[in-house]
Amino acid sequence: MKTLQLNSKTKQELLGNLLNRNPGSYTQYEQTVNEIIENVRINGDKALFDYTLKFDKCELDASKVTVTRQEIEDAYAKLSPDFIEVMKKSADNIRVFHEKQKRNSWIETKEDGSILGQRILPIEISGVYVPGGKAAYPSSVLMNVVPAKVAGVERIIMCTPPQADGSVNPGTLVAADIAGVDEVYKVGGAQAIAAMAFGTESIPKVDKITGPGNIFVALAKKACFGHVSIDSIAGPSEILVLADDTARARYVAADLLSQAEHDELASAILVTTSQKLADEVSNEIEELLKTLSRADIIRKSLENYGYIFVADTMEDAIDAANAVASEHLEIITSNPFEVMTKIKNAGAIFLGEYSSEPLGDYFAGPNHILPTNRTARFFSPLNVDDFMKKSSIIAYSREALEKVHKDIELFAKEESLTAHANSIAVRFEK
Amino acid sequence: MKTLQLNSKTKQELLGNLLNRNPGSYTQYEQTVNEIIENVRINGDKALFDYTLKFDKCELDASKVTVTRQEIEDAYAKLSPDFIEVMKKSADNIRVFHEKQKRNSWIETKEDGSILGQRILPIEISGVYVPGGKAAYPSSVLMNVVPAKVAGVERIIMCTPPQADGSVNPGTLVAADIAGVDEVYKVGGAQAIAAMAFGTESIPKVDKITGPGNIFVALAKKACFGHVSIDSIAGPSEILVLADDTARARYVAADLLSQAEHDELASAILVTTSQKLADEVSNEIEELLKTLSRADIIRKSLENYGYIFVADTMEDAIDAANAVASEHLEIITSNPFEVMTKIKNAGAIFLGEYSSEPLGDYFAGPNHILPTNRTARFFSPLNVDDFMKKSSIIAYSREALEKVHKDIELFAKEESLTAHANSIAVRFEK
């Protein structure tokens, strides 16, 4: 893991290197994805089942595409009772946190009879995508589904690719059941996204698609944006730890490693004002790596996207953290809340030495689906708002409209929209 | 204008016809747009100025691309004082309404030392696109910029195409000044979107791009989504009027015409339980059309996308309104608020016979940038949230983490993420 002095040059190199993980163009995949979407749009279930045979080696038909209640019960039987219990506790915490995000519709009335307001309602149907194989994380199922449930979405469906024998990861199924998914379909890839965006005979058209996936899934979501709403496009995982000389090197090292294990594109960055901590963290990383099962992945991601920066001042360190806009930001300093006030961009902020990042991944309640790749400058953690929509309310009495009708007519005429002006004027013609 | 009985067959035909306004694929334009984006990304200002010469016939350089204070003063001098006054009143109303959308950050503390919360901050820099020529609506400038200002965005920039002589629509400039735009750049089209998404020597990279535009602008926004945040993709304008036999035909007719005048793809739909009203509205439309300057456009849009539906019951009428999910929905019935409770999907809802749609376009305060093309099922009017981002806050004491550390470790191990489990475990090792 590189240890560098933080300055404007090394900061620029860091930012460039992180952005390079995300190629600007995926032209080679886009055509394939567009073909899949068109095929599903036109041929519905038939296209879905053809792709499932081709990509997942699983033969499906309309009678087999939906996971049955028995399959869900079987999935429960395959998991340890302790794990099921922990998932339920985690779901409860996620529910409690997201309940606090709910908002009320509001109106404002005036005595002249005018009423303005904002109505907030849940979307009617949402779809979550869950990858198959090793990327099937039950925790992500909870994080995707519970906010939709809290929002009041009536019908929540899930698509996930089957194994060749038609089975689905039991952790996925149990998490879906705990979180309140209404139907699970055995379909994966870009074809699943297209099915949820446009509907097929078996799979209903949804209003919003969330959930992670490979490059084909990500491109399909982007291509369907506008036909449906989507969450933000997830990139490789990231952690940035801001620490001063009060931080314990072993904790910092363990937290950096926890993100680096995700995959070889993951990034783990320490920015510290203490050279001593930098050196100790470097050593602790080597120590800890000896014991970790995913050490090979970790070594590669640290080599490519792992950094220890020593900063002259905490201000410089904070500037770097704001520039990186990390998905996860830990602040382990003598005054973490004071440092937080200067943080502009971060997906989730973990304060103090006992707020290790996996606490947020699994348990505390805030969402672990977070903006990556510097998009925390403008994107947010997945939240209840993502499953709600607003409508404006406008009600004017004759008295209220009469006071302003000439202003409105003038504005409309200035824009040469005479029928607009007329629709006000007819209400006051003699 | 067609008058049809509302039933499941005519409803399906309506929905199909409306969706046909929005072709599924724009392959022929996508390549051009992608080339423009790549060129601007690589060559910056040079590419911008080349395109501006090619498309706008205007020769620019870095010294001429930014609108000067003098140009803004000159624009004020070109407008009538009354119009300037109305724009200021409108901006005030928009500000007051959007102020009510602002939200507080919040935290929740527990006595074991745990703190969870949600921090809400404005994005740092936003960019608004304003079309040139006849589509340059000062009201849209106000609607795009004021919410960003209310959100607390530090720097708001605008791009709009110049005329061949380098001038910019004075209404656009004055509206920008009233709303609080910091800099206006004379750049249009997909190249303006690319410049704001990636930055050039003259134009800063922004966090969010909003504003309408032609197909090249819309495709460029979609292509840049993820590198920046964008607003939803605007389609042709729409109005749906829900009316019973208490509605005045002349008002209903005038309101339908006000949307139909936007362009030939605009849609105006009346759904009523009264055959008598249907007939009268039909007649009033013919009457009013004789007096309107944009009658040619109106006739074409009514012919293609104008409908009068007679429904058996108000319930059927409401179902149709929910299926269309109209950008603008007027409810002109004896009990408009009661009808509203059954409305699930609409961009803005206008209640009662004095709440004519242009009141919302120009003056009342709610945003006129609204979801179109049935996307009100999941998109919202432009609002202050669009210019803010959230960060989760997680702070656990040792005591709080100790109570749950085994649960977290178990969950992480079940997902085979052992370094995640370890980052919790190291905090409790002997």
Side-chain angles (χ1 to χ4, degrees):
Chain A
M1 199 164 176
K2 297 165 279 293
T3 299
L4 299 170
Q5 187 64 31
L6 181 69
N7 56 44
S8 57
K9 183 161 165 288
T10 55
K11 193 166 86 175
Q12 280 313 312
E13 281 170 16
L14 166 71
L15 297 178
N17 193 27
L18 292 182
L19 283 180
N20 279 342
R21 294 178 303 166
N22 183 24
S25 159
Y26 294 98
T27 319
Q28 73 272 38
Y29 303 121
E30 269 171 3
Q31 203 187 331
T32 308
V33 166
N34 288 339
E35 279 168 21
I36 292 173
I37 292 171
E38 270 311 287
N39 191 3
V40 171
R41 198 173 177 172
I42 294 165
N43 297 308
D45 272 2
K46 180 176 182 322
L48 275 191
F49 302 151
D50 287 351
Y51 287 124
T52 306
L53 186 58
K54 182 174 171 189
F55 296 130
D56 305 306
K57 317 293 175 212
C58 173
E59 207 170 332
L60 283 186
D61 59 40
S63 74
K64 288 189 247 168
V65 70
T66 311
V67 168
T68 63
R69 187 68 222 168
Q70 187 58 50
E71 286 178 284
I72 293 167
E73 297 302 333
D74 293 348
Y76 272 98
K78 283 178 195 148
L79 301 185
S80 80
D82 284 352
F83 181 34
I84 294 168
E85 201 47 46
V86 168
M87 276 200 269
K88 287 182 179 169
K89 283 192 213 169
S90 171
D92 284 343
N93 291 346
I94 298 168
R95 192 172 297 117
V96 168
F97 182 84
H98 288 78
E99 286 283 359
K100 297 191 173 287
Q101 295 176 330
K102 285 192 81 171
R103 300 165 72 185
N104 293 326
S105 300
W106 53 264
I107 57 163
E108 194 200 6
T109 63
K110 287 195 188 161
E111 290 193 9
D112 64 5
S114 70
I115 298 174
L116 297 177
Q118 181 174 267
R119 200 152 159 257
I120 309 180
L121 291 181
I123 59 171
E124 285 178 70
I125 171 164
S126 72
V128 55
Y129 185 79
V130 180
K134 294 211 167 171
Y137 292 126
S139 57
S140 286
V141 174
L142 301 179
M143 293 288 181
N144 270 291
V145 175
V146 172
K149 201 80 185 168
V150 169
V153 177
E154 273 172 42
R155 188 177 178 193
I156 303 172
I157 70 162
M158 174 181 289
C159 286
T160 190
Q163 301 290 311
D165 65 0
S167 67
V168 171
N169 182 305
T172 298
L173 290 186
V174 171
D177 194 59
I178 289 171
V181 170
D182 295 295
E183 301 130 54
V184 181
Y185 299 100
K186 298 176 179 178
V187 186
Q191 60 273 21
I193 303 302
M196 292 194 278
F198 297 103
T200 72
E201 299 88 328
S202 294
I203 297 184
K205 176 176 169 57
V206 305
D207 296 324
K208 175 139 199 161
I209 301 174
T210 66
N214 62 20
I215 183 64
F216 294 98
V217 168
L219 287 175
K221 281 167 65 180
K222 188 167 173 178
C224 294
F225 175 72
H227 299 286
V228 281
S229 175
I230 63 169
D231 55 357
S232 51
I233 294 177
S237 194
E238 302 154 351
I239 189 170
L240 190 147
V241 181
L242 263 183
D244 62 15
D245 56 9
T246 66
R248 284 186 234 207
R250 192 165 173 83
Y251 298 2
V252 172
D255 293 357
L256 293 170
L257 295 173
S258 77
Q259 284 312 293
E261 81 171 330
H262 271 296
D263 57 61
E264 294 167 14
L265 290 173
S267 170
I269 300 168
L270 166 63
V271 186
T272 178
T273 47
S274 163
Q275 179 69 53
K276 178 160 170 283
L277 183 75
D279 296 338
E280 287 173 3
V281 168
S282 221
N283 293 335
E284 285 287 355
I285 284 175
E286 288 308 318
E287 278 306 304
L288 289 169
L289 264 173
K290 291 175 191 161
T291 68
L292 292 173
S293 61
R294 295 165 72 92
D296 288 348
I297 294 172
I298 296 175
R299 281 188 199 284
K300 281 185 188 144
S301 79
L302 291 185
E303 197 172 301
N304 292 321
Y305 306 108
Y307 292 87
I308 296 174
F309 283 105
V310 180
D312 288 339
T313 65
M314 186 49 72
E315 274 184 14
D316 290 348
I318 291 167
D319 281 350
N322 279 327
V324 170
S326 187
E327 181 190 17
H328 305 99
L329 173 68
E330 288 188 1
I331 305 175
I332 309 182
T333 61
S334 59
N335 55 355
F337 281 86
E338 185 182 326
V339 170
M340 180 187 70
T341 64
K342 301 183 173 67
I343 296 300
K344 292 179 177 173
N345 308 318
I349 305 172
F350 298 80
L351 298 131
E353 66 179 351
Y354 286 96
S355 309
S356 174
E357 188 274 334
L359 165 65
D361 277 348
Y362 288 113
F363 208 77
N367 214 289
H368 80 197
I369 298 160
L370 298 167
T372 55
N373 248 322
R374 303 189 64 198
T375 62
R377 291 175 294 126
F378 45 79
F379 287 147
S380 300
L382 190 70
N383 65 86
V384 168
D385 292 340
D386 288 321
F387 299 96
M388 308 201 79
K389 68 208 175 187
K390 305 173 184 109
S391 297
S392 304
I393 296 170
I394 300 174
Y396 265 43
S397 64
R398 181 184 168 93
E399 181 193 347
L401 187 64
E402 190 160 28
K403 283 191 283 191
V404 297
H405 78 99
K406 289 195 171 143
D407 287 338
I408 303 171
E409 290 167 40
L410 188 152
F411 208 148
K413 283 178 194 157
E414 287 282 351
E415 292 192 349
S416 304
L417 293 175
T418 47
H420 281 65
N422 186 61
S423 84
I424 303 291
V426 293
R427 271 121 170 135
F428 300 98
E429 63 195 357
K430 300 286 176 248
Chain B
M1 199 164 175
K2 298 164 280 292
T3 299
L4 299 170
Q5 188 64 32
L6 181 68
N7 56 44
S8 57
K9 183 161 164 288
T10 56
K11 193 166 86 177
Q12 281 312 313
E13 281 170 16
L14 166 70
L15 297 179
N17 193 27
L18 292 182
L19 283 180
N20 279 342
R21 295 178 301 167
N22 183 24
S25 159
Y26 295 98
T27 318
Q28 73 272 36
Y29 303 120
E30 269 171 3
Q31 202 186 333
T32 309
V33 167
N34 288 339
E35 279 168 19
I36 292 173
I37 293 171
E38 270 310 287
N39 191 2
V40 172
R41 199 173 176 172
I42 294 165
N43 297 309
D45 272 1
K46 181 176 182 319
L48 275 191
F49 302 151
D50 287 351
Y51 287 124
T52 306
L53 187 58
K54 182 175 172 188
F55 296 131
D56 305 306
K57 317 292 175 211
C58 173
E59 206 170 334
L60 283 185
D61 59 40
S63 74
K64 288 189 248 169
V65 69
T66 311
V67 169
T68 63
R69 188 68 223 168
Q70 187 59 49
E71 286 177 284
I72 293 168
E73 297 302 333
D74 293 349
Y76 272 98
K78 283 177 196 150
L79 302 185
S80 80
D82 284 353
F83 181 32
I84 295 168
E85 200 47 45
V86 168
M87 276 201 266
K88 286 182 180 171
K89 283 191 211 168
S90 171
D92 283 344
N93 290 346
I94 299 168
R95 193 171 297 118
V96 168
F97 182 83
H98 288 79
E99 285 283 357
K100 297 191 173 289
Q101 295 176 330
K102 285 193 79 171
R103 300 165 72 185
N104 293 327
S105 299
W106 53 265
I107 57 163
E108 194 199 9
T109 62
K110 286 196 188 160
E111 289 193 10
D112 64 5
S114 70
I115 298 174
L116 296 177
Q118 181 173 267
R119 198 152 160 256
I120 308 181
L121 290 181
I123 60 171
E124 286 178 71
I125 170 165
S126 72
V128 55
Y129 185 79
V130 179
K134 294 211 165 167
Y137 293 127
S139 57
S140 287
V141 174
L142 301 180
M143 293 288 182
N144 269 290
V145 176
V146 173
K149 201 78 187 169
V150 169
V153 177
E154 274 171 42
R155 188 177 178 192
I156 303 172
I157 70 162
M158 174 180 289
C159 285
T160 190
Q163 300 291 310
D165 65 359
S167 67
V168 171
N169 183 305
T172 299
L173 290 186
V174 171
D177 194 58
I178 289 172
V181 169
D182 295 294
E183 300 130 53
V184 180
Y185 299 100
K186 299 176 178 179
V187 186
Q191 60 273 22
I193 303 302
M196 292 194 279
F198 297 103
T200 71
E201 298 88 328
S202 294
I203 297 183
K205 176 177 169 57
V206 306
D207 295 325
K208 175 139 200 163
I209 301 174
T210 66
N214 62 19
I215 183 65
F216 294 97
V217 169
L219 287 175
K221 281 167 65 181
K222 188 166 173 180
C224 294
F225 175 71
H227 299 287
V228 282
S229 175
I230 62 170
D231 55 357
S232 51
I233 294 176
S237 194
E238 302 155 350
I239 189 169
L240 190 147
V241 181
L242 264 183
D244 63 17
D245 56 9
T246 66
R248 285 187 232 207
R250 193 165 173 82
Y251 298 0
V252 172
D255 294 356
L256 293 170
L257 295 173
S258 77
Q259 284 311 294
E261 81 172 331
H262 272 294
D263 57 62
E264 295 167 13
L265 290 173
S267 170
I269 301 168
L270 166 63
V271 186
T272 178
T273 47
S274 163
Q275 179 69 52
K276 178 160 170 284
L277 182 76
D279 296 338
E280 288 174 3
V281 168
S282 222
N283 293 336
E284 285 287 354
I285 283 174
E286 288 308 317
E287 278 306 304
L288 288 170
L289 263 174
K290 291 175 191 160
T291 68
L292 292 173
S293 61
R294 296 165 71 90
D296 288 349
I297 294 171
I298 296 174
R299 280 188 200 284
K300 281 183 189 145
S301 78
L302 290 184
E303 198 171 301
N304 292 321
Y305 306 107
Y307 292 87
I308 296 174
F309 284 105
V310 180
D312 288 340
T313 64
M314 187 48 73
E315 274 184 14
D316 289 348
I318 290 168
D319 281 350
N322 279 327
V324 171
S326 188
E327 181 190 16
H328 305 100
L329 173 70
E330 288 188 1
I331 305 175
I332 309 182
T333 62
S334 59
N335 55 357
F337 281 86
E338 185 181 327
V339 170
M340 179 187 69
T341 64
K342 300 183 174 64
I343 296 300
K344 292 179 178 173
N345 308 318
I349 305 172
F350 298 80
L351 298 131
E353 66 180 350
Y354 286 97
S355 309
S356 174
E357 188 274 336
L359 165 65
D361 278 348
Y362 288 114
F363 208 76
N367 213 289
H368 80 197
I369 298 160
L370 297 166
T372 55
N373 247 323
R374 303 188 66 199
T375 62
R377 291 174 293 126
F378 44 80
F379 286 147
S380 300
L382 190 70
N383 65 87
V384 168
D385 292 341
D386 289 320
F387 299 96
M388 308 200 80
K389 68 206 176 189
K390 305 173 185 109
S391 297
S392 304
I393 296 170
I394 300 174
Y396 264 44
S397 63
R398 182 185 168 93
E399 181 193 346
L401 188 64
E402 190 160 29
K403 283 191 282 191
V404 297
H405 79 99
K406 288 194 173 144
D407 288 338
I408 303 171
E409 289 167 39
L410 187 152
F411 207 148
K413 282 178 195 157
E414 287 282 351
E415 291 192 349
S416 305
L417 293 175
T418 47
H420 281 65
N422 186 61
S423 84
I424 302 291
V426 293
R427 272 125 168 130
F428 300 98
E429 63 195 358
K430 301 285 179 246

